[in-house]
């Protein structure tokens, strides 16, 4: 038996949005502990923000959530979960295309570890259109996205090249 119910919320978070934050807040009520995991692959580096900047942005957004912390991992999320005794992987679902992607991801995760449980939370309808890439697109055209992202992310976006 596991002592605590630990959920991992893996993603790119490049950058974090209010859609991600909403999933984190809701997950924090479902689990004893939630780890927001910046899952990256050091051989595929085409990200907008560095992992250390993403950590700063996420840590600032979650600072008032007592059972949530953030980490990064270069490798398979399922392996990270095993190392940290986490039994649940949390993902958010927005549109049907998310479902297709998540379906294959869930199947691969199950192939690696049949005990890991995927937990899907539906996006709030007001967040369905928010994605990291749409935020970057809007911010790069100087559209005010301050109502769509945490405050620290908005600060970073103002300094985009
Ligand atoms: P990945 O590259 O792993 O898809 P993302 O940072 O884009 O990483 O997303 C991480 C998770 O958060 C995914 O499960 C994604 O579907 C979910 N997500 C992204 N944006 C939203 C949103 N606006 N509302 C709810 N869930 C979201």
């Amino acid at each position: 038996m596991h002592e605590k119910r630990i959920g991992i919320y893996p993603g790119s978070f490049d950058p974090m949005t209010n859609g991600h934050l909403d999933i984190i807040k809701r997950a924090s009520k479902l689990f004893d502990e939630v780890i927001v995991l910046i899952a990256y692959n050091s051989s595929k580096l085409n990200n907008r923000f560095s992992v250390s900047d993403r950590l700063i942005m996420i840590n600032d957004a979650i600072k008032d959530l007592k059972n949530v912390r953030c980490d990064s991992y270069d490798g398979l999320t399922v392996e990270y979960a095993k190392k940290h005794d986490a039994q649940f992987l949390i993902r958010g679902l927005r549109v049907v295309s998310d479902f297709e992607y998540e379906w294959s991801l869930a199947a691969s995760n199950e192939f690696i570890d049949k005990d890991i449980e995927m937990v899907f939370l539906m996006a709030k309808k007001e967040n369905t259109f928010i994605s990291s890439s749409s935020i970057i697109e809007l911010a790069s055209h100087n559209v005010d996205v301050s109502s769509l992202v945490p405050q620290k992310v908005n600060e970073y976006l103002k300094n985009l090249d």
Side-chain angles (χ1 to χ4, degrees):
M1 231 354 234
H2 297 275
E3 270 177 37
K4 285 204 274 177
R5 295 165 74 84
I6 304 174
I8 308 245
Y9 179 36
S12 314
F13 306 106
D14 192 29
M16 177 191 227
T17 68
N18 283 349
H20 293 130
L21 191 56
D22 174 63
I23 298 288
I24 293 167
K25 286 182 179 162
R26 287 156 61 198
S28 74
K29 294 180 194 150
L30 296 172
F31 299 100
D32 296 316
E33 194 181 327
V34 172
I35 304 173
V36 181
L37 186 69
I38 302 172
Y40 67 99
N41 181 339
S42 51
S43 62
K44 285 193 223 151
L45 283 181
N46 55 351
N47 293 111
R48 173 59 72 160
F49 293 103
S50 68
V51 172
S52 54
D53 282 350
R54 282 182 267 164
L55 278 169
I56 292 171
M57 289 185 258
I58 297 173
N59 272 320
D60 189 73
I62 62 173
K63 61 180 184 291
D64 295 328
L65 300 168
K66 296 290 169 247
N67 62 340
V68 181
R69 64 189 173 88
C70 180
D71 200 0
S72 63
Y73 188 63
D74 179 6
L76 289 171
T77 304
V78 177
E79 277 165 11
Y80 179 95
K82 272 189 196 164
K83 278 188 200 155
H84 290 78
D85 203 25
Q87 317 92 293
F88 305 96
L89 293 186
I90 305 150
R91 298 282 291 175
L93 288 176
R94 287 160 295 183
V95 285
V96 176
S97 54
D98 274 353
F99 181 87
E100 278 183 63
Y101 176 64
E102 296 297 337
W103 175 259
S104 69
L105 204 62
S108 321
N109 288 337
E110 193 186 302
F111 176 73
I112 306 168
D113 177 2
K114 67 174 176 33
D115 294 327
I116 200 91
E117 199 62 66
M118 305 281 303
V119 176
F120 298 97
L121 298 180
M122 297 296 281
K124 288 274 183 253
K125 59 182 182 318
E126 62 272 25
N127 293 334
T128 347
F129 76 102
I130 308 177
S131 67
S132 300
S133 51
S134 64
I135 293 290
I136 296 283
E137 178 70 12
L138 294 173
S140 66
H141 290 92
N142 298 318
V143 176
D144 177 11
V145 292
S146 56
S147 61
L148 308 177
V149 294
Q151 189 200 325
K152 192 61 119 192
V153 175
N154 196 41
E155 286 168 23
Y156 272 80
L157 286 169
K158 285 191 177 142
N159 297 319
L160 270 185
D161 322 310

